[in-house]
Amino acid sequence: MLQIGNIQLPDFPLLLAPMEDVSDPPFRVVCKATGADLVFTEFISSEGLIRDAIRCRRKLDIFDEERPTGIQLFGGDEERLAMAAKIVDVTQPELLDINFGCPVKGIVAQGAGAGVLRDVDLMVRLTEACVKSTNLPVTVKTRLGWDDASKNIEEVAERLQDVGIKALTIHGRTRCQLYKGEADWSLIAKVKNNPRIHIPVFGNGDINSPQKALEYKNRYGVDGIMIGRSVIGYPWLFREIRHYLQTGELLPAPTVVERVDVCKHQLRKSLQWKGAIAGVYSMRGHYLRYLKGLPGVKEFRTQLMTLTEPEAIMAVLDDILLRYEGYTMERTPIEMVNYHENCPL
Ligand SMILES: Cc1cc2nc3c(=O)[nH]c(=O)nc-3n(C[C@H](O)[C@H](O)[C@H](O)COP(=O)(O)O)c2cc1C
């Protein structure tokens, strides 16, 4: 078992990454059902939360089936971040995570996200303020450093541990790299192997297959891995990795029935969470990703993208089941999409 504060997780837990506009409660429920051991919300602005913006409040919602769940906050002001941490405390997630890794210019300019990597003293003060203001275990997610010339994650890890964080997740890139190049896990391993570090260290960046997960587990010795882009449209990667780590065998690709079931499950949870109209709209980006690889499935695209009645959408999903009954899905490599390609530095 692995412990974060009072949370018990299996050995080598698999974490769903916080992802803006992706890691919402319905998606987290699906990821939990397909094998994620700990899930995170998309990042939430501490300022927005304090001003009680409806969108931010909604981001605090958690379904019981998805737990354990970490709520992620960002902000560059100690008092405001601590105040937001108190608000989060009331909603009872299992833990509170602070984002010191977001590379997006608007966030960095507020002195938040990965911007804080340039000022470790501020990072320590922000973290300490959070730790002191909440009863929840506080964790941090960050990157290797600001740029190639300032990879300060080893110092960051020690100093944040000293002010009380209970786990650290490191994305193996610098802020200036955004998503370019390959994630470098060697510095993550250095943090993990530092005898001063006793908190769990999770590695993050570019895991897209069971084989890579095992290879990185063995090579870098991290306590668990966090996965983001690869599970968008393919949450089954969690169970595939767990199975491979336990048996050394690859599971067959998810069947058409499983894929349609996930579409229905997430649609039902979206309706429950957002209501009939927003629930239907928020699912539109997901269907074709889940059904990717079915020959000719695009024929159903127009219906899935335009129908507004949940029952009618469910009926289309049933038609897909009928059409592809007995069809065997092939396993295809998961591409790493560069979501922040056009993000200005
Ligand atoms: C669409 C998208 C949204 C993201 N939003 C967040 C976020 O809200 N908070 C955060 O810490 N990281 C965010 N990230 C970064 C991921 O959590 C993760 O660190 C990164 O994608 C690298 O992991 P991967 O290679 O497994 O995708 C986001 C990434 C993507 C692709």
Side-chain angles (χ1 to χ4, degrees):
M1 296 293 272
L2 181 141
Q3 186 123 358
I4 303 178
N6 293 328
I7 312 165
Q8 304 271 359
L9 295 171
D11 274 338
F12 202 73
L14 306 176
L15 281 46
L16 168 66
M19 284 184 284
E20 191 185 14
D21 289 333
V22 178
S23 306
D24 61 9
F27 183 65
R28 299 196 304 261
V29 166
V30 160
C31 288
K32 182 71 198 297
T34 48
D37 298 302
L38 173 63
V39 298
F40 288 87
T41 64
E42 54 189 312
F43 67 179
I44 302 174
S45 152
S46 48
E47 276 307 310
L49 199 54
I50 291 164
R51 281 188 262 111
D52 208 8
I54 289 169
R55 198 170 124 77
C56 283
R57 287 292 301 275
R58 181 159 269 186
K59 286 183 182 177
L60 296 178
D61 292 342
I62 295 174
F63 283 117
D64 282 340
E65 310 95 285
E66 68 178 79
R67 290 177 185 277
T69 304
I71 286 185
Q72 191 187 62
L73 286 181
F74 72 93
D77 178 277
E78 289 156 62
E79 257 179 55
R80 309 294 274 175
L81 195 58
M83 207 185 287
K86 276 204 164 55
I87 299 173
V88 167
D89 206 348
V90 174
T91 70
Q92 294 290 299
E94 276 66 28
L95 61 83
L96 171 67
D97 188 69
I98 313 174
N99 176 318
F100 291 136
C102 179
V104 174
K105 197 174 184 180
I107 307 284
V108 167
Q110 296 170 35
V116 189
L117 279 163
R118 283 180 297 188
D119 185 348
V120 181
D121 289 341
L122 172 63
M123 191 189 256
V124 169
R125 287 198 307 276
L126 288 166
T127 306
E128 192 169 20
C130 261
V131 170
K132 285 188 171 153
S133 76
T134 177
N135 293 316
L136 297 167
V138 174
T139 60
V140 161
K141 175 167 178 280
T142 186
R143 291 183 172 232
L144 301 176
W146 176 257
D147 59 17
D148 269 353
S150 59
K151 291 185 184 167
N152 52 1
I153 188 63
E154 290 170 87
E155 177 196 353
V156 162
E158 289 197 4
R159 293 191 60 190
L160 296 186
Q161 177 181 271
D162 289 347
V163 292
I165 65 164
K166 297 287 189 272
L168 177 66
T169 303
I170 306 166
H171 176 186
R173 289 187 173 85
T174 62
R175 186 272 168 172
C176 290
Q177 261 182 291
L178 301 172
Y179 283 81
K180 289 189 200 88
E182 230 187 300
D184 171 10
W185 284 50
S186 55
L187 256 187
I188 305 177
K190 255 185 148 174
V191 172
K192 171 62 202 162
N193 292 324
N194 175 352
R196 273 256 289 126
I197 296 290
H198 53 79
I199 53 171
V201 175
F202 300 118
N204 170 235
D206 300 351
I207 297 296
N208 63 350
S209 70
Q211 296 94 323
K212 191 164 185 178
L214 177 64
E215 185 191 328
Y216 277 38
K217 173 181 189 282
N218 292 339
R219 193 187 306 163
Y220 299 110
V222 289
D223 293 295
I225 52 180
M226 176 181 275
I227 309 179
R229 289 167 293 167
S230 300
V231 292
I232 303 176
Y234 201 80
W236 302 279
L237 184 61
F238 287 117
R239 73 171 189 202
E240 291 182 355
I241 291 176
R242 178 64 66 208
H243 188 81
Y244 192 73
L245 294 178
Q246 285 169 348
T247 68
E249 284 165 15
L250 287 175
L251 283 173
T255 62
V256 181
V257 174
E258 286 171 311
R259 289 166 192 255
V260 169
D261 275 353
V262 157
C263 291
K264 288 183 173 179
H265 192 181
Q266 193 169 332
L267 173 59
R268 280 193 205 99
K269 295 314 278 184
S270 296
L271 297 169
Q272 188 182 337
W273 180 52
K274 283 198 160 168
I277 295 168
V280 163
Y281 281 107
S282 70
M283 273 303 289
R284 286 186 174 167
H286 294 279
Y287 302 113
L288 287 186
R289 286 193 192 125
Y290 288 141
L291 301 169
K292 195 173 160 200
L294 278 178
V297 77
K298 287 191 179 153
E299 278 174 41
F300 293 94
R301 180 207 290 255
T302 315
Q303 295 176 66
L304 291 170
M305 299 302 278
T306 53
L307 287 170
T308 52
E309 289 299 318
E311 298 75 26
I313 295 169
M314 291 288 184
V316 173
L317 291 170
D318 285 334
D319 287 347
I320 292 174
L321 270 186
L322 274 181
R323 162 79 70 90
Y324 295 97
E325 201 182 354
Y327 181 82
T328 307
M329 300 290 299
E330 294 295 322
R331 169 178 297 284
T332 47
I334 301 176
E335 289 162 40
M336 302 301 313
V337 177
N338 186 349
Y339 275 87
H340 290 92
E341 198 162 22
N342 300 319
C343 165
L345 273 177

